[in-house]
Amino acid sequence: MFRKALLLGIIVSWLFLDAILVLAQTETVVFEKTYHYGSYDRGYYVEPTNDQGYIITGHTSSPTYVNPYWRDIYTIKTNRYGDTLWTKIYYAYDRTFNDESFCVRQTTDGGYIIGGYVFYAPVWLPGWVRGYLIKIDANGGVVWKRIFAEEEMASCQSVSQTEDGGFIITGSASRPETASDVALLKIDANGNPLWVKYFDSHQEERPNERPSCEGGYWLEKTTDGGFIIVGRRIIGIYTDSINYYDERDVYLIKTDGNGDTLWPRT
């Protein structure tokens, strides 16, 4: 009886190992691609497209730049196997500014909307950062570009098309009274701002705190017609008159269709 049980256990073990090997053999990589343009290439976001391909966005730095930290938005369209169909480089003003993108979404007209920011910091003047949005057609041609004021949107981290053909954007906004807040910006189909809402989860600061730094990273439309935003909150806590450490929290906000807060969570 013991020998039969032992033999049965060995057979079951073999079958189990064979099943694992079969699974391991069937889970193969469909394709693996690398894309190179400049000296500092980085992809931040990829989205499946209606033609079963993909759209990728991020940033690059041309090897011909005097300053290797000057960056442009780098967008790649591929087919379903990752083969490049077209590559585009976008920048807001000229190539002495830093342009970076964090999100790309396909739009109902078959084109795409890209969200990011443009940053300028000359050594002899105060720098600034502004949200940057690019609407392109299906072949990557620019339809329109919008650069927002810092108090409207300092960085377009996530963008989605709305039912009216316009767009809703989240990111961060810089205002004089705060370090930065989560911002929700509604624009029309041509990129013109309609309204902006700010969310500050930490309105009463303790004596040993720095102003909180908050920003939205992603948004989605919800079935009730509103929006859900996820981001972060950073609060600096002073340990003495000079030194401090950061408390970091996830920040979740539910709004209605007009951007008014239904509830926040940290």
Side-chain angles (χ1 to χ4, degrees):
M1 186 69 181
F2 173 76
R3 290 180 179 178
K4 289 182 179 180
L6 179 61
L7 180 60
L8 181 61
I10 292 171
I11 293 172
V12 169
S13 298
W14 282 344
L15 290 174
F16 181 68
L17 288 172
D18 286 343
I20 291 175
L21 289 173
V22 169
L23 284 172
Q25 290 170 359
T26 56
E27 290 182 1
T28 57
V29 175
V30 176
F31 68 81
E32 181 177 310
K33 300 286 184 178
T34 59
Y35 307 94
H36 178 70
Y37 178 84
S39 59
Y40 193 86
D41 300 331
R42 179 172 293 182
Y44 276 113
Y45 187 81
V46 59
E47 169 102 341
T49 52
N50 293 339
D51 60 0
Q52 298 185 324
Y54 303 93
I55 186 83
I56 306 162
T57 199
H59 65 251
T60 185
S61 179
S62 171
T64 62
Y65 289 176
V66 175
N67 187 335
Y69 297 103
W70 292 343
R71 298 169 189 168
D72 295 329
I73 290 174
Y74 182 27
T75 302
I76 308 161
K77 178 68 180 74
T78 78
N79 63 13
R80 64 187 298 180
Y81 303 108
D83 301 318
T84 301
L85 300 180
W86 51 257
T87 295
K88 298 291 183 181
I89 305 298
Y90 305 103
Y91 50 92
Y93 297 107
D94 61 43
R95 291 187 164 182
T96 60
F97 291 75
N98 289 320
D99 305 90
E100 298 188 18
S101 63
F102 304 105
C103 177
V104 60
R105 293 279 186 96
Q106 190 161 33
T107 51
T108 54
D109 61 1
Y112 307 94
I113 190 81
I114 303 170
Y117 70 73
V118 54
F119 175 65
Y120 186 54
V123 294
W124 61 92
L125 291 171
W128 50 257
V129 60
R130 293 175 182 171
Y132 184 28
L133 206 64
I134 312 168
K135 177 68 179 72
I136 61 174
D137 62 25
N139 298 312
V142 175
V143 178
W144 50 258
K145 298 189 292 185
R146 293 291 180 270
I147 299 168
F148 303 105
E150 289 182 79
E151 63 271 14
E152 290 176 325
M153 187 67 68
S155 178
C156 300
Q157 294 283 339
S158 179
V159 57
S160 183
Q161 193 166 26
T162 50
E163 300 295 332
D164 59 2
F167 300 93
I168 191 77
I169 310 158
T170 195
S172 60
S174 299
R175 298 191 293 159
E177 60 269 29
T178 60
S180 70
D181 291 332
V182 175
L184 185 66
L185 176 64
K186 179 69 175 71
I187 62 174
D188 65 20
N190 296 312
N192 301 305
L194 299 177
W195 50 257
V196 61
K197 299 295 174 75
Y198 306 105
F199 309 94
D200 182 3
S201 68
H202 195 67
Q203 297 179 4
E204 294 185 5
E205 296 174 4
R206 292 168 287 185
N208 65 331
E209 289 181 355
R210 290 162 53 89
S212 62
C213 181
E214 301 174 0
Y217 282 126
W218 195 255
L219 70 79
E220 290 289 348
K221 295 173 288 186
T222 52
T223 54
D224 60 0
F227 308 101
I228 189 78
I229 306 165
V230 66
R232 57 100 173 98
R233 179 183 71 176
I234 303 174
I235 303 172
I237 308 296
Y238 281 102
T239 56
D240 53 42
S241 60
I242 298 174
N243 300 299
Y244 67 91
Y245 66 92
D246 288 337
E247 287 185 351
R248 298 171 181 261
D249 298 310
V250 175
Y251 189 14
L252 188 68
I253 307 159
K254 177 69 178 73
T255 78
D256 61 19
N258 296 315
D260 295 320
T261 303
L262 297 180
W263 50 257
R265 297 288 186 274
T266 56

